[in-house]
Each structure stands twice: as C-alpha cells, then as structure tokens.
Amino acid sequence: MSGVVLRSAVEMLSMLRARKISALELADEHIRQIERLNPLLNAFIDFDADRVRTQAAAPDQAGGTPGLLSGLPMSVKASISVAGHRCETGSLLNQGHIAATDAVIVSRMRQAGAVVLGTTNCPEFLMAYETDNRVYGRTSNPWDFERTAGGSSGGESAAIAAGLSAGGLGSDSGGSVREPAHFTGICALKPTPGRIPGDGHLPPCVGPFSLLGSIGPMARTIGDVSLLFRVLSGHADAEPVSAPVAWQQHSMKELQQIPIGFFEDDGLIPVTAETRCAVWSAVTSLRRQGFRVEPFRPCALKEARELWWKLFVRSGAMLVDRLVAGREALISPVLRDFLRIAHAEEPLSGQELLTAWVDCDLVRGKMLAEMREWPVLLLPVCSVPAFRHGEREWDIGGQAVGYLDAMRYTQWFNVLGGPAAVLPVGRSPEGLPIGVQIAGRPYQDEVVLGVAAALERDFGYLPPPLAV
C-alpha cells in the first residue's frame, strides 16, 4: 500500500468500499506517516495511535450501510471541539483544556464514519498567518522547514500536504484556511457563513465574527473538498446564521455560462511575478475549457479591506485584551506582534464600531452589485508564497509590503460573506507552491467549487518530496 496516504480522499474511500484496504489498515498507514513526519513538522498536537486504531476497527467490524466518509482518516484544527481532545487555541491561558463534547461539524464527521486522527496546531487565539505558540511551538512547511505552513490553520495544511491526514477542518476569518492551503500546495474552501455550522468553535463565531468567520474543509484536491462540503454542510437549528440551503449540483455547461472576472493585483499592494504567472495560467486554462474570463476588479475592495481591519484587527484586539488582561506575560510572541499592530491605533469607540457595522452592509451591497455581471472572481491568494518563520515584510518590485497587507487578497471575502476556494496552480523559483483563489457571491459555494474543479484538470496537488 505504498503511497496510499498521498492519494485523494475520494480514492481512499473507493478503495475502502471495494475492500482493497480495510479501515484499520488505512489508519495504520496514516499512523506510520504521522510517526515518521510529525516530529519534523509539528502538525498534530493531540494524537494517540491506540485511540485511532480503536475507531478504525469499528467500521471493519460493523455491519449495515457504511457512511459516506466511513473509514476516512481526518484531522481537526485545535480550535474546534473534539470530545476528549485538546482544544487550547495555542494559548498557555487555555493549556490543558479538553473538549467535553464534539462540535456540530465533528459530530457530522463521526456520523458519516470518519476516523478522527487528532487535533492540529494553530497560533494563539488564531490571530496570525503563521502557526507558532508557546504551548507547542511552530509548525513547519513540508516544502521547506525554514518556512511557515501558514495560519491560523497551519497544522491542518501541513498534515494534509504531507499525507498525515486525508483531509480535515480549519476555520477562516481572514484567510485562515486559504493562506495555509496556498503555502503548502493543497485545496481549501472558506464557505458562506452558515453553510457549515460554527457551533463548537473556540473562540465562538459570534458578533462580527459570525460574518467574518466560518469553518471550512481542507484536503489535497477540490474533489475531496467538495465531498467534505457536501457531506458536512447543512442547517443547524441552534446556529443563528445557519442557512437552510441544500446542496446544488451544476453541470459543466451551466458553469461555462457564468462570466468570470480576474485581476492580478488590487492596484495598491503588488504580488510576485510568479503569482501573476499563476493567475494567467489559470485564466488560460479556463478560457481553453470554454469559460468566459475577462479582466475585472471590483471598486469596493479598498473599503472592504478597511472594514475588515476594523472588525478583525481592531475589534479582535479588544476581545483578546479582555482575555489576557493581567496575564500578558503568558502570551506568545506571535500574538504580541498582532497586538502591537492593532494597538498602533486607538481602541474602537462605540460610535466607530456601530458605524463600521452599518458600513459593512453598505459595502457588501456595493460589492454584490459589482458582481452581478461577474459573479465569479479569479485572483491571487497572497502577495507572496510561504514566508520564512518570523518574516514580516517583503520587497516586491521595489515596494515594501508589510505582513498583513500581503494577506489582504483573502480578507475581502470575509467581509463579503461569500465563498472562496484555493487550489495550487504554480511554483515559485524556490519550488514553493502558489495557489489561486476562486471567489463568488454568498451561497454560490457549489459554483466556486465547480469552477475550481474545472481548473484542477490542468493543475492540482503535488506531494512534497519528504512525504513520498
């Protein structure tokens, strides 16, 4: 079964159904990969081989109709509750916290028959695009140990890219499943808020974060991401933003009728030459397949980014300040860096916060109006590929680009509340993966995934050399 851990989740499930491999054998293959590579990557922070084997033995022994994910080994970011597992959000302030119950999405995973491998590393309180904390340390990129696997779902991306997990769950309030996917060469979806229940996420997806944040599937292929989204999405009664929207299937002919707008940069923050090349490669592929793809850049991007800054950075810092008050000595350098950036401005006043909340709907309305003609957008994920641990500024074409500015290409769609998927398309001169982003209007998740799947015909996942 050499190489089985690097196959797609869809292929693994097909092998399980055909009895070419048992759930226990598949789990053992993943256990060996974890034991071999996790000491190098530091992706899993809570993993117990015996517990995994006990779960995996159950589908092999049970009768009846197997679930749609029966026997599939999956992982979960350590900010999503998995009963009996650590859910500490990378903070000494939460050290030792064990989740008592499963998040709704984890319950659905189990009901579908998935085998939970364990929980994966994340930055403290999820406030970074680099996974590092004082509880477990940093997670490294399987393409280059000197570089980050991204954040805040960096443990997930490293585990999936290196074949430690067939797929898993991350969360995204500013690019936190998409940036790591881009950095490690895998696929991810930030869904429309409400399509996947956020109940059981720590911190809770409430207030501004009910719009900005969502739990999203991550895997090596868009086909896998689509399967996870189809199986795990759906209305949850206790979820205030949960949407009773059923899975929608679109044919290739229907997708080809949807105009796609693309842009290489936002006119303010540049991207590397290889990133531009990846966007153009994607444009060429889609045009060849019969899609209409034309230059288009929404005018409301600058306003959307300003609102994201207020709601995520400044408002988020106010929430973190309350959590760490009197215990500042315990916080990690990565979180301290985020707070330093946020505290460069005065805390939001009540009037500013109320105005931002109102403006959010107005700006969303502008973007949605602009996207009537171009319902799907193709664009970069980030200004740069995976950066070295601790880097916070880059020179791109003679322009200095700061840390949070380089990541702005994902942040707009958290304010829009629309879906956005990432898949690998190009490579940097150092051989690092470069992804592109497919974004759409709210509740058009299946359209975004369909376009991404078409693009994946010409591109897609390649294993990092250490994983083979």
Side-chain angles (χ1 to χ4, degrees):
M1 290 301 172
S2 176
V4 67
V5 295
L6 297 174
R7 298 191 184 192
S8 72
V10 170
E11 288 177 298
M12 290 183 200
L13 289 166
S14 178
M15 292 173 67
L16 286 163
R17 285 192 292 269
R19 300 189 181 278
K20 293 179 179 179
I21 192 171
S22 71
L24 185 55
E25 289 170 332
L26 186 57
D28 277 332
E29 292 288 340
H30 282 83
I31 288 167
R32 280 191 281 274
Q33 191 81 333
I34 292 168
E35 291 175 344
R36 181 170 76 91
L37 295 181
N38 200 57
L40 302 173
L41 298 173
N42 194 31
F44 278 93
I45 56 93
D46 191 345
F47 163 75
D48 182 295
D50 289 338
R51 180 161 52 182
V52 172
R53 289 190 178 102
T54 298
Q55 291 179 76
D60 290 339
Q61 297 166 0
T65 304
L68 292 174
L69 303 179
S70 188
L72 186 69
M74 293 182 63
S75 47
V76 181
K77 180 181 181 179
S79 61
I80 301 169
S81 295
V82 181
H85 286 263
R86 297 184 187 117
C87 185
E88 299 157 309
T89 57
S91 180
L92 287 172
L93 279 63
N94 291 333
Q95 190 171 20
H97 174 69
I98 304 293
T101 58
D102 285 336
V104 170
I105 192 69
V106 175
S107 294
R108 290 181 181 178
M109 273 175 54
R110 293 193 198 274
Q111 289 164 8
V115 173
V116 178
L117 293 166
T119 52
T120 54
N121 205 17
C122 57
E124 188 169 14
F125 294 128
L126 317 183
M127 294 294 183
Y129 292 102
E130 177 174 7
T131 294
D132 194 359
N133 58 62
R134 291 183 64 186
V135 186
Y136 299 106
R138 73 189 190 190
T139 296
S140 293
N141 193 312
W143 288 92
D144 182 345
F145 295 158
E146 296 304 310
R147 297 176 188 267
T148 182
S152 59
S153 307
E156 273 300 300
S157 66
I160 294 165
L164 279 63
S165 168
L169 300 174
S171 57
D172 188 317
S173 293
S176 286
V177 300
R178 289 165 290 157
E179 301 288 355
H182 159 65
F183 285 169
T184 60
I186 65 168
C187 302
L189 172 71
K190 181 207 85 70
T192 303
R195 293 294 304 268
I196 286 182
D199 181 66
H201 188 271
L202 184 69
C205 298
V206 295
F209 290 88
S210 66
L211 169 65
L212 299 181
S214 53
I215 292 174
M218 306 174 71
R220 285 186 288 274
T221 73
I222 288 294
D224 293 347
V225 170
S226 297
L227 171 68
L228 295 179
F229 180 71
R230 177 167 59 86
V231 173
L232 301 174
S233 62
H235 180 70
D237 289 337
E239 184 90 1
V241 298
S242 184
V245 179
W247 169 264
Q248 305 163 61
Q249 186 66 45
H250 299 283
S251 68
M252 184 68 164
K253 185 175 181 181
E254 289 171 331
L255 293 170
Q256 289 168 331
Q257 305 308 308
I258 302 172
I260 301 172
F262 80 93
F263 58 98
E264 302 168 76
D265 62 53
D266 70 346
L268 296 172
I269 301 299
V271 303
T272 65
E274 305 79 44
T275 302
R276 293 181 187 278
C277 183
V279 172
W280 273 104
S281 295
V283 169
T284 301
S285 170
L286 290 173
R287 284 176 173 171
R288 183 185 55 76
Q289 295 184 61
F291 288 85
R292 179 189 170 199
V293 190
E294 301 294 341
F296 169 73
R297 185 167 65 200
C299 296
L301 296 178
K302 185 173 182 292
E303 292 174 278
R305 195 343 172 84
E306 289 170 352
L307 283 169
W308 180 87
W309 188 275
K310 288 180 181 178
L311 295 173
F312 184 92
V313 177
R314 295 175 67 190
S315 179
M318 292 167 68
L319 293 172
V320 171
D321 285 340
R322 292 176 57 190
L323 292 172
V324 306
R327 299 183 288 177
E328 289 84 357
L330 296 177
I331 67 175
S332 63
V334 167
L335 182 60
R336 200 178 302 279
D337 187 50
F338 169 79
L339 292 175
R340 176 189 58 77
I341 294 169
H343 291 160
E345 300 176 67
E346 291 294 320
L348 284 170
S349 67
Q351 183 61 48
E352 282 183 294
L353 184 56
L354 181 60
T355 301
W357 206 287
V358 171
D359 288 345
C360 197
D361 281 348
L362 297 176
V363 171
R364 289 178 72 203
K366 284 185 185 180
M367 286 189 70
L368 289 170
E370 289 186 277
M371 289 175 69
R372 283 197 192 105
E373 185 178 357
W374 304 99
V376 175
L377 301 177
L378 165 62
L379 65 151
V381 186
C382 183
S383 289
V384 294
F387 56 87
R388 291 179 178 83
H389 297 291
E391 277 188 329
R392 290 297 180 266
E393 187 175 273
W394 303 273
D395 183 296
I396 304 177
Q399 182 175 334
V401 175
Y403 169 60
L404 291 182
D405 276 339
M407 314 297 164
R408 67 199 290 122
Y409 289 85
T410 52
Q411 296 159 3
W412 302 314
F413 305 108
N414 295 93
V415 173
L416 179 65
V422 165
L423 74 157
V425 166
R427 288 286 183 272
S428 75
E430 304 88 351
L432 300 169
I434 295 177
V436 299
Q437 188 172 196
I438 307 291
R441 293 165 61 88
Y443 304 109
Q444 295 300 300
D445 304 67
E446 294 87 350
V447 169
V448 164
L449 289 169
V451 173
L455 193 54
E456 193 175 44
R457 294 174 179 178
D458 288 336
F459 306 102
Y461 169 79
L462 291 173
L466 93 162
V468 179

